[in-house]
Amino acid sequence: MLKPLGDRVIVEVEEAKEKTVGGIVLANNAKEKPQTGKVVAVGAGRVLDNGEKVAPAVEKGDTVLFDKYSGTSVDYDGQSYLVLHEKDLVAIVD
Amino acid sequence: MLKPLGDRVIVEVEEAKEKTVGGIVLANNAKEKPQTGKVVAVGAGRVLDNGEKVAPAVEKGDTVLFDKYSGTSVDYDGQSYLVLHEKDLVAIVD
Amino acid sequence: MLKPLGDRVIVEVEEAKEKTVGGIVLANNAKEKPQTGKVVAVGAGRVLDNGEKVAPAVEKGDTVLFDKYSGTSVDYDGQSYLVLHEKDLVAIVD
Amino acid sequence: MLKPLGDRVIVEVEEAKEKTVGGIVLANNAKEKPQTGKVVAVGAGRVLDNGEKVAPAVEKGDTVLFDKYSGTSVDYDGQSYLVLHEKDLVAIVD
Amino acid sequence: MLKPLGDRVIVEVEEAKEKTVGGIVLANNAKEKPQTGKVVAVGAGRVLDNGEKVAPAVEKGDTVLFDKYSGTSVDYDGQSYLVLHEKDLVAIVD
Amino acid sequence: MLKPLGDRVIVEVEEAKEKTVGGIVLANNAKEKPQTGKVVAVGAGRVLDNGEKVAPAVEKGDTVLFDKYSGTSVDYDGQSYLVLHEKDLVAIVD
Amino acid sequence: MLKPLGDRVIVEVEEAKEKTVGGIVLANNAKEKPQTGKVVAVGAGRVLDNGEKVAPAVEKGDTVLFDKYSGTSVDYDGQSYLVLHEKDLVAIVD
């Protein structure tokens, strides 16, 4: 198991779905748009200047939106994940 | 539903209105001016160094002015939104 | 009405007066000098690290001096304004 | 009257004196040296992270030394002044 | 013995394993992926602005994931180690 | 008299001594080495974020070592001085 | 005697030992590796934002590892030293 450190969050990236029009698969032309993924692990959080620890505001299982150029890709147990800092998470998709 | 994280605010951008002179549509020549949009969701806010959380100073439904080059564009449910940090919001249009 | 956010101040810029010598209008050759304007709206202020809010030190109606290259130009109700951060205001002209 | 904002100080710059040798005016060859000026107005000071306001450590009437490339030049009532941040003042000439 | 200073952690790097397919050794083509290593020593931690010391969140013996371009390589007793700042450790491999 | 402001220290620079070998003056070839000087005036110190003032850790009369490329040169009463920030002072020569 | 200021530490650098193979001196090919030295003097430490002084975590006599490109070289009493900031010290060699 991977346990992210600090304010990091580990995400299983969702493949951007190809759009189809009448059964014809169209290449995804929104390459610059953020991507979504499912949170699989959350770090203990960052430490404030007053010594307080602030846990990331997301939980395991959340679907999150993040900028596609942020994060570090890691492989673990034959599966590829993305490790992101909390600040790189844009929104929760509810 | 998209729930913005941290000090982020989600905005539905208003199309810059074309000016018409005697019925002739004129291209908008003020490309560098800020844009307006309607706030559709507000994050829980940023955490200060003393551990206090500060919510953004805008509310759902507010019309806001923002610099047109700030923010990240996201698509959700066939609608396009802009996710902005609170600091990129310039003013509320009352 | 425009309500500036954070430590922003909205200013109605005063046109730099042309100098005249014996009735001949001279082009203003002091292009790099700061400009003056009248404050029309003041934000609620910035939040300090201890959670305290600090209002800008100017009031509606003040004539202020600011660096001419700072601020963001906005149009509202057919009038052009400048939105400045408090730190970009140099002095009050009394 | 000009009332400087924040930690700003308004200074009336003293012209660098030309050196004369036997009545011959020599160009000032110390162009990179700091300049002196007389303080004509002092801002209320900067706000610390704990909310305390710290007034600049100079007073109206002080002669100060400052780096000649710092500050913003302003004209007021036919007189030219320099607006400096307190940190750009190097020393008081007593 | 090497005792890391501040928030530093000393790691014994694990060689990236070559993948084999039917006995044929394949070059590792994931050169940009993070590497793993075993923690051999942990510093006393960094000092917060309030004077509190925060020890790194890893322990001797932990297997950690870190970005392969971070850290400083040191030789000691004929063995090569990597000294990393805590912030460069991405996750603990459990 | 020059009274340095903030954390500044005024130093009378000591001329780097030329080395002589058998009476032959050798040019100083250690141009990049720090220089020494005598402290002639010390500022009141910098203000911390908690409002406390911290005086520089040197006193009038101390001989100090400083990086030769730091500081601002000033002339006063026909004498040349160097104004340095406390952080640019490397050591006291006892 | 040299008394380092602030969080500085003065180190007597140890010459990187040449490796010999069967009596043949080999040039040191690990030029990018950190160097070691013996601590000869330690500053009083840096001042935190709360006014507390934090002494460097090393003592006179410690052998320390530091990045070879950090620090300022100083000559004193015919001996060459390196003045380093505490943050540039990587580890204590015990």
Side-chain angles (χ1 to χ4, degrees), chain F residues 1 4 11 13 25 29 31-32 41 45 60 67 71 75 89 93-94:
Chain F
M1 209 185 78
V11 163
V13 180
V25 176
N29 60 356
K31 293 272 188 254
E32 295 75 15
K60 192 178 160 175
D67 194 87
D75 286 346
L89 301 178
V93 184
D94 225 10

Side-chain angles (χ1 to χ4, degrees), chain D residues 33-34 87 89-90 92 94, chain F residues 1 3 5 8 50 73 75:
Chain D
K33 291 298 170 62
K87 68 171 177 51
L89 300 178
V90 169
I92 296 175
D94 225 10
Chain F
M1 209 185 78
K3 287 168 56 180
L5 287 161
R8 289 177 179 85
N50 67 356
S73 172
D75 286 346

Side-chain angles (χ1 to χ4, degrees), chain G residues 29-42:
Chain G
N29 60 356
K31 292 270 187 255
E32 294 76 15
K33 291 299 169 62
Q35 276 185 301
T36 55
K38 180 163 273 173
V39 174
V40 296
V42 178

Side-chain angles (χ1 to χ4, degrees), chain A:
Chain A
M1 210 184 77
L2 287 176
K3 286 168 56 182
L5 287 161
D7 69 337
R8 288 178 181 85
V9 170
I10 302 185
V11 163
E12 202 182 314
V13 180
E14 291 180 2
E15 290 305 315
K17 295 185 197 71
E18 307 284 331
K19 292 172 185 163
T20 61
V21 173
I24 298 160
V25 176
L26 302 173
N28 187 342
N29 60 355
K31 293 271 188 255
E32 295 75 15
K33 292 298 170 63
Q35 277 186 301
T36 55
K38 181 162 271 172
V39 174
V40 297
V42 177
R46 66 190 172 96
V47 177
L48 297 181
D49 277 352
N50 68 356
E52 212 176 303
K53 195 172 280 187
V54 182
V58 295
E59 286 176 16
K60 192 178 159 175
D62 282 349
T63 297
V64 288
L65 200 75
F66 51 89
D67 194 87
K68 73 182 303 181
Y69 297 113
S70 56
T72 303
S73 171
V74 301
D75 287 346
Y76 186 72
D77 253 8
Q79 169 87 29
S80 185
Y81 297 99
L82 202 60
V83 186
L84 296 144
H85 285 283
E86 188 198 3
K87 69 171 177 51
D88 296 325
L89 300 178
V90 170
I92 297 176
V93 185
D94 225 11

Side-chain angles (χ1 to χ4, degrees), chain D residues 30 33-34 46 48-50 52 54 57-58 64-65 67 86-94, chain F residues 1-6 8 10 47-53 72-76 80 83 85:
Chain D
K33 291 298 170 62
R46 65 188 173 97
L48 297 180
D49 278 352
N50 68 356
E52 213 175 302
V54 182
V58 296
V64 288
L65 201 73
D67 194 87
E86 188 196 4
K87 68 171 177 51
D88 296 325
L89 300 178
V90 169
I92 296 175
V93 185
D94 225 10
Chain F
M1 209 185 78
L2 286 177
K3 287 168 56 180
L5 287 161
R8 289 177 179 85
I10 301 185
V47 177
L48 297 181
D49 277 352
N50 67 356
E52 214 175 300
K53 195 171 279 188
T72 302
S73 172
V74 300
D75 286 346
Y76 186 73
S80 185
V83 185
H85 285 281

Side-chain angles (χ1 to χ4, degrees), chain C residues 9-80:
Chain C
V9 170
I10 301 185
V11 163
E12 201 182 315
V13 180
E14 291 180 2
E15 291 306 314
K17 296 186 196 70
E18 307 283 331
K19 291 173 186 163
T20 62
V21 173
I24 298 160
V25 177
L26 302 172
N28 185 342
N29 61 354
K31 294 271 188 255
E32 295 75 16
K33 291 298 169 61
Q35 277 185 299
T36 54
K38 180 161 272 174
V39 174
V40 296
V42 177
R46 65 188 174 95
V47 177
L48 297 180
D49 277 353
N50 68 356
E52 212 175 303
K53 195 171 279 188
V54 182
V58 296
E59 286 175 18
K60 192 178 159 174
D62 283 349
T63 297
V64 289
L65 201 73
F66 52 88
D67 194 88
K68 73 181 303 180
Y69 297 113
S70 56
T72 302
S73 172
V74 300
D75 286 345
Y76 186 72
D77 252 8
Q79 169 86 30
S80 184

